[in-house]
Each structure stands twice: as C-alpha cells, then as structure tokens.
Amino acid sequence: MAHVIEAHADTHAHAHAHDEHEHHEETFITKYIFTIDHKMIAKQFLVSGILWAFIGGLFSILFRLQLGFPNMDMSFLKPLLGGWIEIQKDGTGALNPEFYLALVTMHGTIMVFFVLTAGLSGTFSNFLIPLQIGARDMASGFMNMLSYWFFFASSVLMFSSLFFATGPAAGGWVVYPPLSALPQALAGSGDGMTYWLLAMSLFIASSLLGSINYITTVINLRTKGMSFNRLPLTIWAFFITAVIGILSFPVLFSAALLLIFDRSFGTSFYLSEIYVAGEALHNVGGSPVLFQHLFWFLGHPEVYIVLLPALGLTSEVIATQARKPIFGYTAMIGSMLGIAVLSFIVWAHHMFVTGMNPFLGTIFMFLTLIIAVPSAVKAFNYITTLWKGNIRFTPAMMFSIGLVSLFISGGVTGIILGNNALDIYLHDTYYVVAHFHLVMGSASFFGMMAGIYHWFPKMFGRMMDERLGYLHFWLTFVGVYTVFFPMHYIGMAGFPRRYYSFTGFDAFRIFADLNMFISAAAIVTFSAQLLFGFNFFYSMFRGRRATQNPWQSNTLEWTAPLEPGHGNWEGQIPYVYRWPYDYSKPNAEADGFTDYIPQNVPYSVTKNSNLPHENDLIALEQEEMIPEDKSLVELKHIKVGAH
Amino acid sequence: MTNILLILAALLLVAIFLVIFRASKLISIFRNDSDPDKVSQSNNIHAYLFLILPLVGFSLAGWYAVHHLGLIIPPHASKNADITEPLFHQATVVILLMFVITNAALFFFAFKYRYKEGYKATFFTDNVKLEIVWTIVPAVILVLLVVQGWQAWKKIMYTAPENAQQIEVMGHQFAWKVRYPGVDGKIGKYNFRYTDATNEMGLDFSDKKNDDDFMVSEIHIQKNVPVVFNIRARDVLHSFSLPHFRQKMDAVPGMPTKLWLTPTKTTAEMRQELQGRPEYQTIDEKSGKTRADGFNYEIACQEVCGRGHFAMRLVIVVDDEIDYKKWLATQKPFTEVNKEYVAKARIQQQKAKASGVAMVSK
C-alpha cells in the first residue's frame, strides 16, 4: 500500500509550489504585538495569565499572613502596601480590614477570570484549536486579536484600580449589591468598583469575541477527514466551553450593566429601603437577590468554563503518556455535553439561604446532584485510562494525575454542599472554600500546568527543564492538599469565609494551629511557583531544542513544523483518517508502527492493526481522500521506520 | 541595614540556585541522559512517590481529624440540627469512602502501570457495561442522599411553627439589633425612613403594636419553645447565622426573611454537657474560664458586609422556663424608656406622612 501512496504523492509533488502561503513582511509590531496569528495570541494570553497568577497568588499570601499569624507585625510590608498597613499604638503594623477584603476580592477575580478563564481557555483554545483540527488560523484572525486586546485593556483597568486611595473593589469576587453599590458602606465600592465593572465589561467582550471565533473555527475549518467523532477531547472541551461562555457571559454583562445604573444613575434594580451613613436612600423596590440570580447564571457555568478546558487538556496528556486510548471517548463527550446543559440549571444552589423560596431550593438541589453523575463518569474514565497503561511520568502527566485527584477530592464535598439541608450550616464557611479551591481552582490550575508543560515544545520549539518541573509538581501537589484539606476541618467547625480575624468569637477561637499551618503551606506552595516562572521564561530562550513530536503523540499539531510559521503547515494541511487515540494498537508493529499511529495515517497502510469497521473505511478513503492528499509525501519523514 | 542584608542574602540564594541549575543542566546534556525519546530515569521514583505520599499525607490528615473530632464537629442544640447532623455524618462517611476508593485506584494504577521497557499498554477503548455500572451506582447513591436531604429540608424550611415566639433581628454595619414583640406578642410596623440614631430600627409609632416592643442586646429564648426570627437588613446584605443551632438565613435590605428553630438545650445544660469533653477543658485566654464553663451560643454574620464583618457577634442565651420569665419581667418597652424622644418622633412621623414622602410602613 505504501507504494500507492508514494506514487500519488509523487504525482502531486509539483503542486507544492502553489500551496506556499503568502510571505508578508512582518515587523516586530505585527508579529509580537498586534498579531493575528493564533499561536502568538495564545502566547500573549499565556504570558498575561502567568503574570496575573503571580499577582493573584501574592494577594492570597498577604491575607494568609493575616489569618495564620494574626498578631504579626506587618510593618515590613509598608514599602509594598503603604497606608494599608496601619501602625498601631504599640508601633506594630496591622493590615487594614477593608484592604483585607480587597485582597480577597481581587484574588478571586484575578484567579477566576484573568488566570483560569483568559490564561487557560484563552491560551489553549487559541493555540490548539487550529493546530489540532488542521486549520491555518482562526476563522477571524482580526477578531482574535481584538479578543486579546480587549482582555489587555481590561487587565490595565483592573490593575490600575489597585492603586486607588480607596482601594480596589472589596465586596467579594461576587460583588453582591448593595455592598458593591454603596461607597458609603465600603471604600472599595467607590472608584475601585467602577473600574471593576468597566474591566469586567471589557473582559466579557473579549471572552465573547474569543468564543465566537472558537465555535466558528471548530465547525467550519476542520481539515478533510476531521469529523466531530475524530476530534481530540481537547477540542471538544474548548468547543463546549465556548458555547457555555457565549450563553452565560452576556447575562453577567446585564448584571454588571444594571449595577452600573444603580451606582451611577440612581436606578433601583438592586437597591431597596436602605439607611446607610445616617441617611435614608431614595431607592425602593429593587432586589439584591435579583443580582445574585443574574450573577450565578454566569457564575456557575463559569466553574465549567474554567474546568472543562483543563479536563480536555488532561484527557490528551493522560492518553498520550499512558500510551493508551482515552477510555470511553464517547462517554467523555457525552458527560461534557451533559455537564454543559446542566451547568445552566443549577445556579441557585449558591443561594439556598438567601431567602429564596424553599421550593426553588428543592428543585435546584435535585438538578445539582444530577450534575455529579457525569462528573463521576469522567473521573472513572480517567482512572480506567491509567489501568494497564505504560505510564511515562512527564511533568505534564503528573499534573494531569494530580488534577484527577483534586477533581475527585473537591468534587465529593459538592455532594454535601449541594444537599440543601446540609448546606444551611456549611454555606459561606471554609468548607465551601476548600471545596471550590480543590475542584475548580486547583484542578483547573493543574490542567493549565499540564497544558504548559506538554505543549511548551510546540509553542517555543524548546523543552522545559524536567527536573525543575518534577520539583514544581511535587511541591505544588503536596502544597495544594496541605493548604486546602485542613480547610474542611475548620469549615465543619463553622468558620465563616472572609473573616479578617477569628478571635472575636468563642466558637472560632480554636484551630490557630491549623490556620498557621495552612498559611505556612500556602507560602511554600507559592514559592514553588517561582521555580515554574524561572523554568518557563528560561526555557523559552535557553531550553533544549525540542524534536518535532517529543511525546510521540497522535494529534495533528505534532505534524506541523517545529516552529510553525503563520499558516501552521507548509504545503497542504494533513488530512485525517482516524481518531486521535490509536495508542498501543495491537499489531501496529506489523504495519511498521511503534505504539502510536498519528491521525494523518490512512487505514490503508495499517491493515494489520485495523479493527474490522476500520477496514471497511479503506475503500472510501482510497476513493475520496488519498488521491488528493499531498501531505502524505511528508508523512514519510514524520514516521521514520514506519514503512 | 537588616533589610539590605536580607536582600543580599536572597540575591545570593538566587545566584547559587542559578549556578547549580546551569551546572547540572550542562552535566545532563554531557551525559545525554535527557534524550526526549528516552523515558525519564526518575520514572520509578515518581511512581513510588505517587503511592507513598498520598498514603502518608491522608493518614496524617485522618489522624488529626480523629484526635480533634470534638472541635471539628461542634455541639448542636436544636430540633433541626437533630435531623441534619446524622445526615451530615452519614453523607460524610459516604463521600469519604468514594474519596478513598477512587483516589486509591488512581494512585495505585499510576504506580502499578509505570513505564516498563518492552511492555505494551492494553488497547482498551470502551466498555458499555462498565460505563453503565459507574453511571448508575453514583446515581443511586446520590438519589438516596438527596431524598433524605429533601425530606429534611421540607421539615426545616417549608412552614414556620405556629404559636412560636416572634423576634425581629435587623443586621446593619456592624451589629445586630433585636426587637421583641412585648406582651401583645405582635411586632409593630417599621419604616426605614424613620431610622435615626435613637430609633435605630425605624419603628412607626403610629402603630399601637409598637408600644410594648422592647429591644435587647442579648437574645434570650426558651428551651423547647419554637422561635421565629424575622430578619431584615438596614444597609447591605448580612447573614444571620447560628452555628450551634445549624441555622442560617441572609438578611436582605428591602426583603424581610425568616428562620425558625426550637432549642433543645439551655446554655447551662450545654455547659454541663461540655464538661465531659476534654477539648473543652482548656482555659480560654479572653474569659479566663474553661471553654466549657465560658460556653455561649453565638450568632455570627456570614455574608460579607464590610470592614467589621468579622465582628458582628451576638450572644443568644437559651433559658429554661423560669429563667426566661424572670428575664422577660425585667425588660422595658422602647416607648417607655425613650418617652420624650417618642413623643417628638410621633409628631415628626405624622408630618412626614402628611408630606407624602414617607410611604407605607411594613
């Protein structure tokens, strides 16, 4: 069969000249700044996300210092925080309680939106969608560029709000009014909150521009043969994430818009019967609960917007490094679709004790616990994928295994929190903090790390240092568990969230040991990220040169040149003949392959290892695809020793 | 000076790190032992670590939990807590089992199926039976948990008890205001526009039901008598949380809410009971008593409300019938304590009403 292909390839070899994509002069600005190349935009998102992650992480260290060491003299932070460190009578410095709330708020906002939405989904959707589906770029490169620059503008606004004399937004990342609407009630609800709302509006625009692009690209620009049932799970995850984003982010925008109206134009959407700072306000008839409904209509799907891409990346990494097909490919897609649909009808489980009608609470409890089923299926499928694998522990693989563990450990407590009778007590305690930091925060963060370690060679043509990667993983994995696992205990003891200090209550004047332990663990974990930061930026310039397909992976991006130019493939885009998970296929050796058969290898050349239904497809591909496939000549180079 | 020394020390550390990193990198390149096609030599080490670290870590976490169980699960004292506590313990056991089984499988497989030269992974793509089993098993477990939760939720949240003691609480930055209905058993109307420094809850004095209402700085309730808290907020969201009674409800400006409970142990009985618990024998620094002797039921704010969010503490005392009646007898109506103020306020409120600014009181 190989002869046939070569013959075809030869006849078409002359056609290559026509396929050369246009060479346009690139300046520094068009290449690195206002670029429309999806790969560069992905790197822009990634670098911005990493910078934000360090800021968001640093904030958590600051407030953990307060919680773990309440009597500590913080005056050494004065050069950094200035007036937010208040000098007490005894000469020691203490963190301003409102600034503590601002730190908590900005930590949440930054991590959820700027790191795990833009930095994770923005990076990998942009980078992998065209490369894995076989497209030259996004459907609209210009919109893609706008998507980044809207995000950049949003970042600038959010960052500058940190420097206001009244501080940044401080009412929690959920910015519930009336607290977020009344500067009289909280200093951060002044200019800081205005900037928060403006920044988030720009962010939503950025997210929508990105999502529309992802969806259009996946639907329209798949290479020949790349049917939906041959898409890598990464692409399925990005696709579903984008759909969720498009349906839910506009609702957050409406919530933000009405809040802007209440704050600046005297309307009463969320405000009613308020007496604050010695004055009765004119607002009557609004409902703060309305905001919560609107907010969580995005807020809950947002959990899956950050989680699904991480799960998608993990699927790909686990299959590749376990040298096994992902178990239950169809079930994985089915559960992601199930999660996507259900994610829209569970939002009010964040609101069981807001005074909402208890009958609604009943409905939302049932819907919420249904969503645990597809999540459980995903976890089981990951575990089964490891079973009888041949696992290579690359840093990416280890972060993926870590993700599955965190996803389970954080997920099971959701069963308790979703049970509204039990949530009455646990709502707004540290139990919730532990739950979502494990299942959504840390799990998604691990997915992002897995993605970076795995696709770094594709992004920069160089490898990251493995040993630093291992050290980074173990410190982070142990660190994350030591930070968040003890929070279950203090949560069960009833400790409320967002408390500046616990010494005022008899009931909460315990567990000083655990709080100190958590803070120390947080500092170690954060410091370990510096190893990553160094590794990332160092390897970008001085890492070892990568080979074209360092992980011996099946997906299309590894068929592109080591450092692909704009357009991704020289010559024709490869066609796709099979699904992406033909790892360790029985009898592959008889066809001249090792333990992986890339997606662009036709069934015609793997007759020994084909499954019965795959043999049936040979006639079709010989008739419709192989004669036209000019990339097959290149296939020979990719698979040295394959024939 | 110390700062400069610290910075220098940090820089030195970074420099040492860089030198070691670069040197070991060169060595590894020289040895060529990081050929990307070759599986990392540390593969086995990681496999063992995946087995050992979680085992050690979770065992330590479990050990800590067992030794501090009395602190982790605080005592409870209400009828609704009698329903939810067993449910919580049961659900916790179930999720602990899920947690242990799945994590054990994950880490064990990671260990067992670590890379071995010449081994070929099994091409195992699908198994409908397995998929069905692990869809249905979690679904059934969840249904069992949810149905119980639903029954409990209905009992606790759906209908307020009749003949309950009514109490009004109002959250504001940063304290709770509490009002009892007085002898008529009915809480009088209020209007947020009547709020001022004295009339902090905005009582509408044209309502006769307000005449006997009294305010307190410490809530007293009676054992085994149901109590309904009528909750509102004056400025921003708060949440009226009673951890020992396992109850909680947000306080929402413009939308009055309610919660109810029936206390089952008086404060004195709870102090007595805690004598038997070793973790309550430590001396509390603030009160100088043991934690058992100094025990109080406390109310906390559990929805972020600003600078003083962490300081909205209120004590709630559960009395037996005799003590409760005694305490009740000492309370004086607001209108009696603030006679002069109320007389003036009545006139002002009438004027405001006539001007059409103030609207209907609630």
Side-chain angles (χ1 to χ4, degrees):
Chain A
M1 203 62 242
H3 306 291
V4 179
I5 291 168
E6 276 167 37
H8 277 296
D10 289 342
T11 54
H12 287 280
H14 68 276
H16 272 225
H18 302 289
D19 281 339
E20 276 179 28
H21 55 279
E22 50 205 299
H23 290 283
H24 37 83
E25 287 299 307
E26 284 191 308
T27 61
F28 181 83
I29 290 180
T30 57
K31 188 169 181 202
Y32 293 108
I33 300 174
F34 294 108
T35 174
I36 54 169
D37 182 353
H38 71 100
K39 297 183 292 297
M40 188 53 71
I41 293 171
K43 292 174 202 172
Q44 291 175 331
F45 269 112
L46 180 57
V47 172
S48 317
I50 290 175
L51 294 179
W52 270 122
F54 276 107
I55 297 173
L58 181 68
F59 285 1
S60 72
I61 298 305
L62 294 178
F63 64 71
R64 271 320 314 181
L65 281 180
Q66 165 63 30
L67 289 169
F69 312 96
N71 300 321
M72 182 182 193
D73 178 8
M74 299 228 196
S75 39
F76 71 98
L77 285 170
K78 209 145 172 58
L80 180 66
L81 300 180
W84 296 117
I85 299 292
E86 293 168 345
I87 302 300
Q88 313 288 90
K89 278 178 201 138
D90 59 1
T92 60
L95 195 65
N96 174 301
E98 284 203 7
F99 192 66
Y100 167 86
L101 290 178
L103 287 172
V104 173
T105 304
M106 295 318 285
H107 169 75
T109 306
I110 289 169
M111 289 305 196
V112 170
F113 294 112
F114 291 73
V115 179
L116 293 176
T117 305
L120 171 58
S121 174
T123 302
F124 289 102
S125 298
N126 266 312
F127 190 74
L128 290 178
I129 287 177
L131 277 170
Q132 286 196 332
I133 65 169
R136 300 232 176 261
D137 201 331
M138 285 288 175
S140 166
F142 181 71
M143 264 169 72
N144 211 19
M145 179 184 85
L146 280 185
S147 164
Y148 177 75
W149 287 102
F150 267 99
F151 166 61
F152 187 82
S154 162
S155 296
V156 169
L157 284 185
M158 197 63 93
F159 190 73
S160 49
S161 81
L162 301 175
F163 300 97
F164 286 133
T166 49
W173 80 279
V174 296
V175 296
Y176 284 173
L179 186 61
S180 62
L182 304 173
Q184 311 94 301
L186 183 70
S189 297
D191 294 341
M193 189 60 207
T194 305
Y195 269 52
W196 191 97
L197 287 165
L198 292 176
M200 283 313 298
S201 304
L202 291 174
F203 185 90
I204 292 165
S206 153
S207 164
L208 291 176
L209 286 167
S211 297
I212 291 169
N213 235 335
Y214 308 152
I215 293 173
T216 317
T217 309
V218 172
I219 292 179
N220 293 305
L221 297 185
R222 282 164 292 128
T223 185
K224 193 158 185 178
M226 182 62 96
S227 52
F228 267 83
N229 60 359
R230 285 176 182 165
L231 281 180
L233 286 174
T234 33
I235 303 302
W236 269 106
F238 299 145
F239 179 69
I240 293 171
T241 303
V243 173
I244 300 177
I246 276 193
L247 294 176
S248 61
F249 264 115
V251 179
L252 179 66
F253 182 70
S254 66
L257 196 63
L258 299 186
L259 187 52
I260 292 173
F261 270 72
D262 271 9
R263 289 167 48 83
S264 306
F265 306 118
T267 55
S268 306
F269 291 106
Y270 307 130
L271 307 179
S272 185
E273 300 185 32
I274 291 167
Y275 178 90
V276 66
E279 185 193 5
L281 304 186
H282 68 275
N283 310 71
V284 172
S287 166
V289 180
L290 169 66
F291 178 87
Q292 299 177 27
H293 280 295
L294 293 174
F295 181 87
W296 287 113
F297 192 84
L298 160 91
H300 197 79
E302 173 66 22
V303 170
Y304 298 99
I305 291 174
V306 310
L307 191 57
L308 285 180
L311 291 173
L313 297 169
T314 296
S315 309
E316 191 60 30
V317 173
I318 287 191
T320 306
Q321 306 297 7
R323 313 308 293 164
K324 267 192 77 189
I326 193 85
F327 181 76
Y329 174 79
T330 322
M332 287 299 230
I333 297 168
S335 18
M336 281 198 279
L337 287 171
I339 288 174
V341 172
L342 288 169
S343 74
F344 284 100
I345 46 175
V346 298
W347 79 87
H349 68 217
H350 298 268
M351 302 166 56
F352 284 145
V353 292
T354 54
M356 184 178 76
N357 187 323
F359 178 69
L360 265 183
T362 305
I363 304 288
F364 277 98
M365 168 177 65
F366 281 109
L367 293 169
T368 298
L369 289 162
I370 297 174
I371 211 169
V373 175
S375 309
V377 169
K378 282 193 84 73
F380 289 132
N381 284 1
Y382 285 127
I383 294 172
T384 313
T385 305
L386 294 183
W387 182 70
K388 292 202 169 178
N390 199 23
I391 300 168
R392 303 162 170 182
F393 292 109
T394 62
M397 180 62 168
M398 291 156 79
F399 272 103
S400 300
I401 293 173
L403 178 152
V404 178
S405 174
L406 294 167
F407 181 60
I408 294 170
S409 308
V412 290
T413 49
I415 295 171
I416 290 202
L417 290 170
N419 198 330
N420 50 17
L422 308 180
D423 182 64
I424 299 172
Y425 173 59
L426 294 170
H427 180 80
D428 265 333
T429 63
Y430 267 81
Y431 198 83
V432 180
V433 179
H435 163 71
F436 73 76
H437 273 98
L438 285 177
V439 77
M440 162 199 164
S442 304
S444 306
F445 176 78
F446 270 49
M448 184 171 168
M449 284 300 141
I452 295 172
Y453 279 104
H454 193 80
W455 278 280
F456 192 88
K458 192 78 244 167
M459 287 183 176
F460 300 102
R462 292 170 183 274
M463 310 293 286
M464 286 179 80
D465 185 77
E466 268 195 340
R467 286 157 309 154
L468 280 184
Y470 292 139
L471 192 60
H472 173 222
F473 168 77
W474 284 115
L475 287 173
T476 310
F477 185 57
V478 174
V480 159
Y481 264 118
T482 42
V483 170
F484 298 116
F485 206 82
M487 285 190 189
H488 292 111
Y489 299 162
I490 57 178
M492 284 157 88
F495 281 49
R497 287 171 77 177
R498 297 173 179 137
Y499 264 34
Y500 172 75
S501 152
F502 292 108
T503 50
F505 287 79
D506 300 344
F508 309 140
R509 218 161 25 240
I510 50 173
F511 285 139
D513 56 339
L514 274 188
N515 267 321
M516 204 186 291
F517 177 78
I518 291 171
S519 296
I523 292 167
V524 173
T525 314
F526 178 72
S527 311
Q529 307 315 307
L530 298 175
L531 289 177
F532 166 78
F534 168 78
N535 196 357
F536 182 84
F537 290 105
Y538 177 88
S539 304
M540 199 188 284
F541 300 105
R542 308 218 40 194
R544 269 184 324 103
R545 303 290 298 177
T547 52
Q548 192 185 18
N549 188 359
W551 317 120
Q552 297 160 317
S553 185
N554 285 342
T555 38
L556 280 189
E557 73 272 30
W558 306 105
T559 65
L562 191 56
E563 283 181 273
H566 195 188
N568 296 341
W569 283 271
E570 291 162 11
Q572 180 218 285
I573 297 175
Y575 289 178
V576 163
Y577 296 90
R578 59 180 70 230
W579 78 327
Y581 298 109
D582 270 346
Y583 290 106
S584 300
K585 216 173 182 189
N587 299 327
E589 292 81 1
D591 293 318
F593 286 88
T594 54
D595 63 351
Y596 69 112
I597 309 175
Q599 280 193 283
N600 59 337
V601 175
Y603 289 129
S604 318
V605 297
T606 57
K607 284 195 172 144
N608 295 304
S609 61
N610 286 348
L611 303 173
H613 73 273
E614 291 170 345
N615 274 323
D616 298 343
L617 292 170
I618 290 180
L620 194 69
E621 72 181 26
Q622 278 182 338
E623 188 183 325
E624 291 193 351
M625 293 175 64
I626 292 178
E628 292 173 25
D629 192 348
K630 293 166 225 151
S631 73
L632 282 176
V633 73
E634 287 154 39
L635 190 61
K636 281 211 310 179
H637 305 297
I638 299 159
K639 290 263 10 104
V640 179
H643 302 283
Chain B
M1 192 61 204
T2 35
N3 281 346
I4 296 168
L5 278 177
L6 278 174
I7 291 168
L8 281 177
L11 284 177
L12 191 66
L13 275 176
V14 170
I16 291 171
F17 165 76
L18 285 177
V19 169
I20 292 176
F21 173 75
R22 191 66 201 151
S24 64
K25 180 119 192 157
L26 288 173
I27 290 169
S28 88
I29 290 170
F30 181 67
R31 282 201 197 139
N32 196 25
D33 62 9
S34 42
D35 176 4
D37 287 339
K38 236 165 80 184
V39 172
S40 155
Q41 289 165 334
S42 55
N43 212 58
N44 280 333
I45 301 176
H46 299 305
Y48 277 96
L49 282 176
F50 265 123
L51 195 65
I52 295 163
L53 279 183
L55 198 66
V56 172
F58 291 133
S59 304
L60 284 175
W63 173 83
Y64 186 93
V66 170
H67 279 264
H68 296 81
L69 206 57
L71 291 180
I72 291 171
I73 300 181
H76 59 92
S78 65
K79 283 195 175 155
N80 56 291
D82 290 341
I83 303 172
T84 55
E85 275 303 285
L87 273 185
F88 178 62
H89 298 164
Q90 175 195 324
T92 302
V93 170
V94 172
I95 66 163
L96 267 177
L97 282 176
M98 293 179 182
F99 163 79
V100 169
I101 292 169
T102 45
N103 268 306
L106 175 73
F107 292 128
F108 179 70
F109 289 166
F111 164 74
K112 173 129 197 255
Y113 300 106
R114 64 193 183 274
Y115 175 84
K116 291 179 196 79
E117 202 155 356
Y119 177 83
K120 193 171 181 185
T122 307
F123 189 78
F124 183 41
T125 58
D126 239 326
N127 185 318
V128 178
K129 265 186 205 160
L130 266 182
E131 298 273 7
I132 289 175
V133 167
W134 62 49
T135 307
I136 288 182
V137 169
V140 169
I141 296 174
L142 284 172
V143 166
L144 291 176
L145 290 175
V146 168
V147 167
Q148 284 176 302
W150 173 48
Q151 299 292 344
W153 173 259
K154 275 202 297 189
K155 271 185 217 154
I156 297 165
M157 299 291 281
Y158 271 36
T159 34
E162 286 167 29
N163 304 322
Q165 169 71 48
Q166 301 286 329
I167 300 176
E168 184 185 47
V169 286
M170 181 194 78
H172 70 103
Q173 289 182 321
F174 296 98
W176 301 99
K177 290 284 171 294
V178 185
R179 173 159 70 127
Y180 279 68
V183 278
D184 64 356
K186 282 176 185 145
I187 297 168
K189 286 182 178 169
Y190 68 89
N191 186 329
F192 77 106
R193 292 184 201 280
Y194 296 152
T195 314
D196 61 32
T198 312
N199 185 9
E200 287 187 294
M201 295 182 84
L203 305 194
D204 179 345
F205 297 113
S206 66
D207 184 2
K208 287 272 176 283
K209 292 200 287 289
N210 268 324
D211 290 350
D212 58 350
D213 289 4
F214 62 87
M215 322 290 191
V216 296
S217 56
E218 187 179 81
I219 300 180
H220 280 249
I221 53 177
Q222 193 182 334
K223 182 185 162 183
N224 290 333
V225 173
V227 51
V228 173
F229 290 100
N230 300 273
I231 304 161
R232 62 188 168 104
R234 194 171 82 177
D235 36 37
V236 300
L237 290 173
H238 301 272
S239 187
F240 186 68
S241 171
L242 307 109
H244 295 108
F245 304 100
R246 305 292 192 266
Q247 261 294 24
K248 182 181 296 157
M249 181 53 72
D250 281 6
V252 185
M255 189 186 90
T257 54
K258 275 182 190 186
L259 74 73
W260 49 87
L261 57 91
T262 310
T264 52
K265 290 168 193 166
T266 66
T267 302
E269 282 168 352
M270 185 57 99
R271 285 177 183 165
Q272 192 64 37
E273 185 186 313
L274 293 176
Q275 298 294 351
R277 290 212 197 177
E279 57 271 14
Y280 279 84
Q281 302 318 311
T282 48
I283 305 288
D284 185 86
E285 280 173 27
K286 272 201 178 162
S287 64
K289 295 180 191 167
T290 66
R291 294 194 63 223
D293 287 336
F295 177 86
N296 272 312
Y297 295 116
E298 290 173 309
I299 288 163
C301 178
Q302 216 144 358
E303 181 65 63
V304 63
C305 61
R307 184 183 179 101
H309 171 51
F310 65 102
M312 287 179 63
R313 176 177 183 261
L314 186 68
V315 169
I316 176 166
V317 179
V318 181
D319 288 323
D320 57 22
E321 197 181 345
I322 302 165
D323 286 346
Y324 182 72
K325 291 227 164 102
K326 242 190 243 167
W327 172 82
L328 210 56
T330 61
Q331 301 303 320
K332 292 206 174 76
F334 181 84
T335 48
E336 200 181 306
V337 181
N338 302 285
K339 260 184 193 154
E340 278 176 38
Y341 168 83
V342 172
K344 270 187 212 156
R346 276 215 168 93
I347 297 162
Q348 275 173 351
Q349 289 186 0
Q350 269 165 1
K351 268 189 199 160
K353 246 179 216 167
S355 75
V357 176
M359 299 155 318
V360 188
S361 301
K362 284 190 176 175

